Amino acid sequence: MNHILNYDGYRLFQASFDPDEKGTVLSVNHDFWGTWITYVGYGFLYLGLLAILIDRNSRFGKLRARLKKLQKRKAQILTVFMLLLAPFGFAQGYQDNHDHEVQEVQNTAISNENDHQHQIVKLKEEYVDSVIISRAVSKAHADKFAHLIIQDQGRMKPINTFASELLRRVSQRNHYKGLDPNQVFISMSEEPMHWLHAPLIYLPRGNDSIRKVIGVDQSTTRVALIDFFDSQGNYKLSEALERASKKTNPSQFEKDFLKAHENYYLLNLALSGGILKIFPEPQSPNNKWISRMELNESNFQGQDSLFVKNVLPLYYHSIKEARQTGDYTQAELLLDGIHKFQQRFGSEVIPSDSKIQMEVVYNKLDIFNRSYKILLLLGVVMFILVIAQIFRDSKPIRISLNILKYLNWVLLIALTAGLINRWYVSGHMPLSDAYESVLYVAWATILFGLIMGRKSHLTIASTAFVGAIVLWVAHLNWMDPAISTLEPVLDSYWLMIHVSVIVMSYGPFTLGFILGSVAMLLTILTNEKNKRKMNLHIQELTIINEMALTVGLVLLTIGHFLGGQ
């Protein structure tokens, strides 16, 4: 449907296809004059809508003129006010080594020779953590390992991305006991037995049932993979999963069981080594990459087969020696060998070095997750200062507000850089899933707020606050921030433009919502003493609100009609 065939004046659309996928139903259109008349009409519509925003005699132009007069009047009142007040000062204040030896655990089962049964024994968390931390590789070496390419669900990505996504999905954290995702993933691959006992799998808050079934305290937030089994090796979630899987619309508690099982499965796959698909299969028609565990099912032969079989055990042995000597030369030579092997058989699908580096930088900076916390702080502080300015203005307050305004611009630039980076790495506009759409809405909200509220600190404060909330929503548990491949249905130039313009319109609409809410709050706080100042702020917010809604309506209308191209 999104890839129309033009042939000799005819336009052929796919209307449907046969259930066996062996036949297709086409919709044929041949209307040269009607098509161009429609497109010319669209063009006039777009010009008229844009003229609303440009023409000084339009409603939007008159609102812009009123806003300038109002802001000039505010400036005059503040100047007079400052002349009547004596200046006052403004100040601001600023405010584990392990000595014991670790004993390696060979397995977690104790054999009972009388009845030939096996009883699973869980190791103490303190002991497990001490072993994992003491045997972690250096961050510098882990970073080199993380630049290797892995194939994951059809996407080629550096191991750094995969390790970050794995840790975030399973534990809802970006680190474990001070170890970064790269160090964690190497440790899991080298010594998976210890990670069976590490409290890594996150349990949703408020679900006491799942904790009761697993057999942990109600205050427990993370459990180990081994906690999912009883002493006889039976999987504790089996019955609950069976009930949840049979339902068309499972409850939230049942969804939590399904999510916990998904995290268990993902971690188990990582510990087994089956997920480490770093070896490109020679002459594969689909550019398939395999893990060491899949060697017997592949078409590797001779020296290549021996390389795939032995290189990782040799690498793990080399980093074991490097921990004692501090010399990772041998380990890095083996990594270089794996990299050359990937280039030899998988060069067609391996991303460029610049893309790999940009993706690693994107993961490390974690711009969007960090920005919402800073934005929230800026918004709250700025809002407090604006309220204080209404009741008693001063030079320190004005300077502080200007600094905060420029910090908002810095954050907008950082968010823009993050979106561009994500676009470059993924190869498509960042609008392919819910997470990216919410990021785009947050970016558009902040952009229009800063543009339309250049001289209105209250507007910028409101924008920062609502932008932080939208970014916070993007990082809730039910949204996956992983960079994904583009769905075929979105692989269309006009459709991506259509979606991007419509989603951008949500920014000024969101801005209108928050400005209306702030105007209502100021109305409630208005009294006889501050009535004059409050009225000026309320009028200013009202004008900016209407301008924002106008921009949103123009973008939304244009976006909808672009979908008809």
Side-chain angles (χ1 to χ4, degrees), residues 387-412:
I387 297 299
Q389 187 183 45
I390 292 174
F391 292 97
R392 185 173 182 179
D393 192 19
S394 67
K395 185 176 180 180
I397 290 180
R398 292 204 306 276
I399 293 174
S400 300
L401 286 172
N402 285 326
I403 292 173
L404 293 173
K405 179 177 71 173
Y406 292 129
L407 287 177
N408 275 279
W409 276 105
V410 171
L411 276 177
L412 176 65

Side-chain angles (χ1 to χ4, degrees), residues 459-472:
T459 300
I460 295 176
S462 304
T463 299
F465 180 79
V466 74
I469 297 300
V470 176
L471 284 173
W472 170 72

Side-chain angles (χ1 to χ4, degrees), residues 363-487:
N363 295 330
K364 288 181 178 179
L365 293 179
D366 198 13
I367 292 174
F368 303 109
N369 189 28
R370 293 180 179 179
S371 293
Y372 83 82
K373 301 164 188 175
I374 301 174
L375 272 171
L376 183 61
L377 178 63
L378 291 178
V380 171
V381 173
M382 205 168 180
F383 190 78
I384 293 172
L385 289 176
V386 170
I387 297 299
Q389 187 183 45
I390 292 174
F391 292 97
R392 185 173 182 179
D393 192 19
S394 67
K395 185 176 180 180
I397 290 180
R398 292 204 306 276
I399 293 174
S400 300
L401 286 172
N402 285 326
I403 292 173
L404 293 173
K405 179 177 71 173
Y406 292 129
L407 287 177
N408 275 279
W409 276 105
V410 171
L411 276 177
L412 176 65
I413 294 171
L415 292 174
T416 305
L419 286 173
I420 293 173
N421 193 341
R422 191 176 177 99
W423 190 341
Y424 174 68
V425 168
S426 65
H428 57 78
M429 187 177 289
L431 284 169
S432 62
D433 53 33
Y435 175 77
E436 291 181 342
S437 297
V438 174
L439 291 184
Y440 192 59
V441 170
W443 174 82
T445 302
I446 298 168
L447 173 66
F448 284 107
L450 289 173
I451 291 175
M452 306 183 82
R454 294 187 303 276
K455 297 182 180 180
S456 173
H457 292 133
L458 194 54
T459 300
I460 295 176
S462 304
T463 299
F465 180 79
V466 74
I469 297 300
V470 176
L471 284 173
W472 170 72
V473 169
H475 292 87
L476 294 178
N477 295 340
W478 51 274
M479 284 198 184
D480 185 3
I483 297 176
S484 59
T485 54
L486 186 66
E487 295 293 337

Side-chain angles (χ1 to χ4, degrees), residues 311-349:
V311 67
L312 285 179
L314 288 172
Y315 171 70
Y316 297 143
H317 178 72
S318 67
I319 60 176
K320 185 176 182 180
E321 293 183 345
R323 277 194 293 265
Q324 300 173 356
T325 63
D327 183 8
Y328 285 91
T329 303
Q330 184 62 34
E332 290 174 5
L333 286 174
L334 290 169
L335 289 182
D336 187 55
I338 297 175
H339 175 71
K340 290 179 179 178
F341 188 87
Q342 291 184 338
Q343 291 288 345
R344 178 184 169 195
F345 291 114
S347 58
E348 292 184 8
V349 293

Side-chain angles (χ1 to χ4, degrees), residues 70 92 144 180 240 305 335 356 419 434 482 530 548:
L70 187 65
Q92 184 177 9
K144 294 180 180 179
D180 65 27
S305 177
L335 289 182
I356 295 171
L419 286 173
N530 61 22

Side-chain angles (χ1 to χ4, degrees), residues 2 431-433 486-493 495-496 499:
N2 297 326
L431 284 169
S432 62
D433 53 33
L486 186 66
E487 295 293 337
V489 70
L490 293 175
D491 189 14
S492 166
Y493 173 77
L495 186 61
M496 290 302 293
V499 172

